[in-house]
Amino acid sequence: MTGHITDETLREIALAVGPDWQAGRHEPRDAEAEIVTPSLDEMATAPGATQTKYRVTYQRVGRHGGRNGSPAPAPLTVWAVTADGLAEHIAKDVRPYILSSGAEVTVDLETMTGSVFAGFRTAGAFTLEAVQVAEGGDA
């Protein structure tokens, strides 16, 4: 027997212990926290691009974020250049609420909504609001 615990073993433990086994695991960010700027990778692919400040309001995320009477995560305020960049920021923010390590975030800037998926299951939903726009300069 080795000291390595597989994902399957963790799932079995989670099912045996119940939905609150990870309740102490997540440490939500401060509700007033704001991510100030797009990532350097995002800006490198679009120098001088227009940045948009979004407010992400979660309806629910995972097992401990707005489900079964628990409060949804606090709204996230973040600057982004692209939908993919915004999705990356949201994925980092919701990670503490998701049991699966394979979570994926989709963002629809036309409808200003998005979803969080863990495997083939919906693990969350959110709405977006464009709060501020910073026009990009010439590259």
Side-chain angles (χ1 to χ4, degrees):
M1 179 169 210
T2 66
H4 179 71
I5 297 176
T6 65
D7 288 342
E8 186 61 35
T9 302
L10 288 174
R11 279 189 211 93
E12 290 175 17
I13 293 169
L15 289 172
V17 177
D20 291 331
W21 77 274
Q22 71 171 11
R25 177 181 148 217
H26 70 280
E27 293 181 24
R29 67 177 156 66
D30 179 5
E32 300 298 318
E34 177 178 314
I35 299 174
V36 179
T37 185
S39 69
L40 293 177
D41 291 339
E42 189 177 3
M43 287 305 294
T45 60
T50 299
Q51 301 178 43
T52 305
K53 184 181 198 178
Y54 294 97
R55 179 175 299 117
V56 181
T57 304
Y58 301 104
Q59 276 78 51
R60 68 174 185 81
V61 177
R63 296 177 186 238
H64 299 284
R67 184 174 173 210
N68 297 334
S70 63
L76 170 68
T77 303
V78 62
W79 286 94
V81 173
T82 64
D84 288 343
L86 179 58
E88 287 178 26
H89 289 301
I90 295 168
K92 287 177 188 173
D93 192 46
V94 301
R95 178 65 194 115
Y97 294 92
I98 306 295
L99 179 60
S100 172
S101 62
E104 181 179 328
V105 174
T106 61
V107 172
D108 185 341
L109 294 179
E110 288 184 21
T111 62
M112 298 299 276
T113 60
S115 299
V116 180
F117 296 96
F120 296 106
R121 297 177 189 240
T122 301
F126 55 88
T127 59
L128 301 168
E129 175 187 358
V131 178
Q132 185 178 354
V133 174
E135 294 295 329
D138 294 333

